């Protein structure tokens, strides 16, 4: 038996779900009301989360630590945070460049290092040593799959090769014929890729719709029972 | 040609100088008449009053010295002077003392404008300083006035030979004050006496002693008389005679004077008196008495050598009444058009082709896109959207409602990733410590719940300790909600399956990792610092690592497995890049949404991710495999119907568009 509090929240969830689904009728005040409430609640939630998850534990709490070394370190971080606040003022914004430079530099270094070691190198190695379950069953399939991967990679790269030259003066610059053919084939691979991505997005959206409809279907008898 | 301004060599001293004049006349009769040695009339005429009263001593010495020098070196010029002495006594009487106050300028017969006041005083003072050397200076011979009165044959020939275009050419070359006497070396055929003008200009502009032997003309081009004179001139220069203060006779054409200068011919003959008398008078006038503005306004340097026809008559100021003095209106005509330099850019053919290509691209980009006219359909787009939307909702809801809850999901086999995922989870020991990263937003909470809840229920069933963490703000709370729902649904289905599982002790929330990539890097290297208090550490006044679920575990390698629940590709990639390499063999699993799966599957294919569960479909299969609660058949049926409706609508749309295109083409052909 759901408590009254649960019924309230179920009702709130039901109401806002219906308001959002009203967009099928076009943009209307009910949909905008639900959108604004969602934006407001998200902002408030984010502020509370940052206060309790970032500012207090990582900026204020360290000053109550007994270790002097940590105190000095956190004092530096505190000053950096204050300098970051100067970005709010155009006149004092230049003082915020120091922490911004630190953030951007450190962040870039971390991202690049992870991308090189975690994605590029490993993905190249995996592409070379491609394996699949079907390939283990039919060894000939492995060769075919490898060729498809190689062909798709080459023609896709060829599509993004925009260099052109003219054979005779006054002629419109154009790519060589063989490059044009590869580029045309590359368009096919790119279209398949974007199609697969679109289907994936649509599947996610359809799943969300089904989940919400399931919630509504389950909520109606619950609310009716609660009201009754 | 050397010329002494104001030199008192005058025939007016005839009374006192008869002896030397006679001797001079005798020498002249023997000498050869030189064309360029025209006498300066200014030198030849002195006011008769002074001539009668007698000549000063210094003037006598000058005359004597000049006569001697002239007699020796300039026979032609002196001869001309003597002729004037003989023939010009009548007109000599007509000359009156020149009144400086009339125009402020003293004009010399040769057309040279002699500035009055301060400049005149300076020149006269210079002449006084010349001292004895002046007596050795040859007398000036040339003079336009002399030519006009009585010209020797050679001088008449010179005038005839001077082309009128020569002046125009000289004017066209560059504007010159006194430009009427163009003395450039290339024009020496116009009259050799022009060389004298050049020397004069140089002497006036640069009052520096010039003893160089540079000659303006080639030796072979000089006439004989000029060659003789050149020799005499060189001898004078070699003798240390300074040309400062020298003024050559300027043989300008008569027409080259300004109008006002030509009109003042009545007084120009009195100029010699100015040269002789003014030094004593003007020397007493302080230069400071001349106002600066008047100094700047003096037209002496700005007067064109040629008369400006139709010039403006000055109506005010010290130049009042003088026409064409300031050549402001026609000044532009004196200047040559500036040379035009080529600005053509040099480039190779390849560069030219690239430029053309770029221009073509820019032209194509600048072309306005042709906006297709809005097609008018017999039906409203809004109605179609309403029908499609409502139809989809109704069909999906209807299928969900009519599907029996206990019905099994279709016969589709689960993916390889899900099987590996399940195998890894089943390999976990009881009471295993599992790190579950909840990096998804509430927008896709429905799909992620359908995928992740069965996994969480299986972990709960296996009594695993779960540590939640999120680098997404929404994921912190959403993760806790999923765990709670999994526990409640599993408990609602079968309480024994959750028996002994205490959420407070088995589940801990490490909280929010602000900064995503950087914070994940810190979380891997220093987990206790990155997630120090967790979500409830401040409330409970203890660090998150002191909670029962994490007691005794201080690093990420203490976890038996890492499960990342993500709804977007970026979050999953960051976890794989930053965390997976540091896990040192700890199984790395991933629960992904359908939209992020295509871009995350390569990490599974490369074995960086050991197991992958994608979206609702894999979640349903996983739940069915482990008999988890939920209306899986309803969800799967609704999903299949929804996809079927979508495919049908796409096909219908494609058919309608194709038919419309064919109809339009046929209609166009018929009309055409």
């Amino acid at each position: 038996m759901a408590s009254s509090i649960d019924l309230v929240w179920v009702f709130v969830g039901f109401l806002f779900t219906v308001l959002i689904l009203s967009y099928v009728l076009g943009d209307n005040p009910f949909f905008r009301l639900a959108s604004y409430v969602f934006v407001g609640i998200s902002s408030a939630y984010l502020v509370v989360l940052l206060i309790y998850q970032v500012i207090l534990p990582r900026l204020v709490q360290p000053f109550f630590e007994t270790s002097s070394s940590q105190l000095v370190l956190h004092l530096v971080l505190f000053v950096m945070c204050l300098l970051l606040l100067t970005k709010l003022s155009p006149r004092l914004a230049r003082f915020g460049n120091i922490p911004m430079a630190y953030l951007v530099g450190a962040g870039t270094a971390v991202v690049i290092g992870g991308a090189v070691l975690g994605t590029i190198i490993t993905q190249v190695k995996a592409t070379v040593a491609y394996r699949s379950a079907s390939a283990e069953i039919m060894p000939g399939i492995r060769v075919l799959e490898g060729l498809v991967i190689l062909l798709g990679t080459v023609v896709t790269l060829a599509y993004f090769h925009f260099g052109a030259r003219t054979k005779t003066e006054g002629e419109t610059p154009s790519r060589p014929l063989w490059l044009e053919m590869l580029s045309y084939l590359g368009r096919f691979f790119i279209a398949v890729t974007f199609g697969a991505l679109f289907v994936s997005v649509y599947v996610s959206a359809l799943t969300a719709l089904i989940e919400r409809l399931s919630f509504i279907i389950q909520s109606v008898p619950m609310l009716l029972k609660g009201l009754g | 040609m050397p010329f002494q301004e104001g030199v008192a060599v005058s025939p007016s001293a005839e009374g006192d100088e008869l002896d030397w004049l006679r001797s001079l006349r005798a020498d002249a009769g023997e000498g050869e008449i030189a064309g360029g040695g025209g006498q300066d009339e200014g030198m030849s005429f002195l006011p008769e009053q002074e001539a009668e009263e007698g000549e000063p001593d210094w003037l006598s010495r000058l005359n004597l010295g000049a006569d001697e020098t002239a007699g020796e070196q300039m026979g032609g010029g002196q001869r001309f002077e003597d002729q004037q002495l003989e023939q010009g006594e009548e007109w000599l009487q007509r000359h009156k003392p020149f009144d400086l106050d009339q125009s402020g300028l003293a004009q010399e017969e040769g057309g040279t404008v002699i500035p009055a006041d301060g400049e005149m005083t300076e020149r006269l003072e210079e002449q006084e300083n010349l001292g004895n050397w002046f007596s050795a200076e040859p007398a000036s011979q040339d003079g336009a006035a002399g030519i006009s009165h009585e010209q020797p044959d050679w001088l008449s020939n010179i005038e005839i030979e001077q082309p009128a275009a020569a002046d125009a050419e000289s004017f066209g070359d560059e504007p010159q004050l006194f430009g009427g006497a163009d003395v450039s070396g290339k024009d020496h055929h116009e009259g050799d006496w022009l060389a004298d003008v050049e020397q004069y200009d140089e002497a006036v502009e640069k009052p520096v002693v010039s003893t160089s032997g540079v000659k303006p003309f080639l030796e072979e081009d000089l006439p004989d008389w000029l060659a003789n004179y050149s020799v005499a001139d060189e001898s004078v220069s070699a003798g240390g005679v300074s040309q400062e203060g020298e003024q050559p006779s300027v043989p300008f054409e008569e027409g080259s004077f300004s109008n006002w200068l030509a009109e003042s011919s009545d007084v120009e003959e009195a100029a010699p008196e100015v040269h002789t008398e003014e030094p004593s008078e003007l020397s007493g006038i302080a230069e400071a008495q001349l106002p600066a503005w008047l100094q700047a306004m003096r037209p002496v340097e700005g007067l064109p050598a040629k008369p400006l026809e139709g010039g403006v008559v000055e109506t005010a100021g010290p130049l009042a009444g003088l026409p064409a003095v300031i050549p402001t209106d026609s000044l532009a005509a004196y200047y040559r058009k500036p040379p035009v330099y080529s600005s053509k850019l040099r480039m190779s053919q390849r560069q030219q082709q690239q430029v053309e290509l770029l221009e073509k691209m820019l032209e194509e980009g600048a072309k306005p896109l042709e906006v297709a006219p809005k097609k008018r359909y017999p039906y409203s787009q809004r109605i179609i959207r309403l029908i499609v939307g409502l139809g989809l909702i109704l069909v999906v809801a209807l299928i969900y409602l009519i599907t029996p809850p206990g019905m099994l999901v279709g016969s589709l086999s689960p993916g390889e990733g899900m099987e590996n995922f399940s195998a890894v989870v089943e390999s976990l020991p009881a009471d295993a410590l599992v790190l579950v990263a909840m990096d998804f937003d509430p927008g896709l909470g429905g799909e992620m719940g359908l995928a992740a809840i069965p996994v969480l229920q299986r972990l709960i069933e296996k009594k695993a300790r779960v540590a939640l963490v999120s680098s997404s703000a929404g994921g912190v709370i959403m993760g806790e909600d999923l765990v709670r729902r999994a526990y409640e649904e599993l408990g609602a289905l079968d309480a024994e399956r959750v028996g002994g599982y205490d959420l407070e002790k088995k589940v801990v929330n490490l909280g929010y990792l602000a900064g995503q990539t950087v914070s994940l890097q810190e979380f891997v290297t220093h987990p206790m610092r990155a997630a120090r208090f967790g979500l409830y550490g401040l409330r409970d006044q203890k660090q998150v690592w002191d909670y029962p679920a994490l007691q005794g575990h201080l690093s990420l390698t203490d976890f038996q497995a890492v499960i990342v629940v993500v709804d977007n590709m970026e979050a999953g990639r960051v976890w794989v890049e930053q965390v997976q390499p540091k896990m040192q063999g700890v199984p790395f699993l991933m629960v992904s949404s359908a939209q992020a799966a295509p871009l995350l599957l390569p990490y599974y294919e490369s074995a960086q991710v050991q197991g992958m569960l994608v979206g609702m479909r894999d979640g349903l299969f996983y739940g069915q495999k482990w008999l988890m609660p939920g209306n899986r058949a309803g969800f799967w049926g609704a999903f299949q119907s929804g996809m079927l409706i979508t495919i049908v609508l796409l096909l219908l749309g494609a058919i309608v568009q194709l038919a419309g295109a064919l109809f339009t083409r046929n209609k166009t052909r018929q009309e055409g």
Side-chain angles (χ1 to χ4, degrees), chain A residues 24-25 45-46 53 57-58 61 65 110 114-115 118-119 122-123 126 166 172-173 200 202 204 210-211 214 217-218, chain B residues 353 360 382 386 400-401 446-447 473 477 511-512 522 532 534-535 577-578 594-595 598 602-603 606 608 635 639 646:
Chain A
V24 73
L25 303 174
Y45 165 73
L46 191 60
Q53 289 292 293
R58 309 208 65 173
Q61 185 70 23
E65 302 289 338
V110 171
T119 298
T122 53
Q123 288 302 308
T166 57
T172 303
S200 301
Y202 182 77
S204 292
I210 294 171
E211 194 272 339
S214 166
I217 292 171
Q218 293 175 359
Chain B
Q353 291 174 354
K360 185 178 179 182
R382 191 170 183 176
L386 183 62
Y400 182 84
L401 282 174
E447 183 188 15
I477 302 301
Y512 171 56
E522 183 190 21
R532 190 178 181 193
L535 189 60
E577 289 179 350
Q578 302 296 331
Q595 67 177 7
Y603 293 108
S606 64
Q608 291 175 277
F635 278 107
F639 176 77
T646 303

Side-chain angles (χ1 to χ4, degrees), chain B residues 252 333 370 527:
Chain B
F252 293 123
E370 294 181 1

Side-chain angles (χ1 to χ4, degrees), chain B residues 626-654:
Chain B
W626 299 107
L627 300 177
M628 297 302 168
N631 187 7
R632 287 179 293 275
F635 278 107
W636 185 244
F639 176 77
Q640 286 183 315
S641 60
M643 291 299 294
L644 181 63
I645 290 174
T646 303
I647 293 172
V648 170
L649 289 176
L650 285 174
L651 289 176
L652 282 177

Side-chain angles (χ1 to χ4, degrees), chain A residues 209 213 217, chain B residues 386-402 638 641 645:
Chain A
L209 172 66
L213 290 177
I217 292 171
Chain B
L386 183 62
I387 292 174
V388 171
L390 288 179
L392 183 64
I393 291 174
L394 289 176
V395 169
V396 169
L398 184 63
I399 297 297
Y400 182 84
L401 282 174
I402 65 174
S641 60
I645 290 174

Side-chain angles (χ1 to χ4, degrees), chain B residues 472-489:
Chain B
S472 167
V476 180
I477 302 301
M478 295 298 293
E480 275 204 6
D481 180 65
L482 288 184
V483 172
R484 184 186 57 81
R485 284 171 55 189
Y487 179 82
E488 291 177 354
E489 290 177 4

